[in-house]
Amino acid sequence: MIIINEQITLADWELTETFARASGPGGQNVNKVNTAVSLRFEAERSPHLPADVKARLKRIAGFRWTKEGAVIVTSDKHRSQAMNREDAQAKLRDLVLKALERPKKRIRTRPTLASKKRRLDAKSKRASLKTTRGRVIDE
């Protein structure tokens, strides 16, 4: 069970952990112990997340989102399986917290008269500079 905030906790049935051999640090244990963690969260089927949060999570997760609607987070930074498990859970927690934030609605504004004038002045200066370039004709 992962606690995201006061309202949202992810149940154990939504999470699946698999372990593999890590490519990172490990010394003599690197070829013997499965320390890399792959944490799978069934986001699409989760009753704990609202639909808008799921949509934002899908956009934020990117390549980590599978066709079945799951988010897969991996970690192989540390030498121990327990630390990698905590790291993967923290990554998932951060993803969900980021998806919980509603984006601020953009308020459309019109450009001021002065900014329009500055833009057109810069355009005309650039155009006059370019007109001076060209072929040199010898007489």
Side-chain angles (χ1 to χ4, degrees), residues 106-120:
R106 183 184 179 275
I107 301 168
R108 290 182 60 189
T109 58
R110 293 179 62 194
T112 61
L113 190 64
S115 68
K116 285 181 184 175
K117 193 173 179 82
R118 280 193 303 271
R119 181 180 64 86
L120 292 174

Side-chain angles (χ1 to χ4, degrees), residues 6-23:
E6 296 84 36
Q7 293 88 16
I8 297 176
T9 54
L10 306 179
D12 289 332
W13 68 267
E14 299 172 296
L15 304 169
T16 310
E17 289 178 339
T18 53
F19 303 99
R21 291 194 176 122
S23 61

Side-chain angles (χ1 to χ4, degrees), residues 14-17 38-42 66 68-73:
E14 299 172 296
L15 304 169
T16 310
E17 289 178 339
S38 179
L39 181 65
R40 181 183 176 100
F41 168 54
E42 300 294 335
T66 64
E68 297 86 36
V71 176
I72 298 176
V73 179

Side-chain angles (χ1 to χ4, degrees), residues 71-94:
V71 176
I72 298 176
V73 179
T74 58
S75 175
D76 62 350
K77 247 195 310 194
H78 305 285
R79 289 182 181 212
S80 74
Q81 196 179 77
M83 289 178 76
N84 281 331
R85 179 186 282 148
E86 287 175 18
D87 187 42
Q89 289 176 355
K91 284 181 183 179
L92 180 63
R93 189 179 303 114
D94 291 342

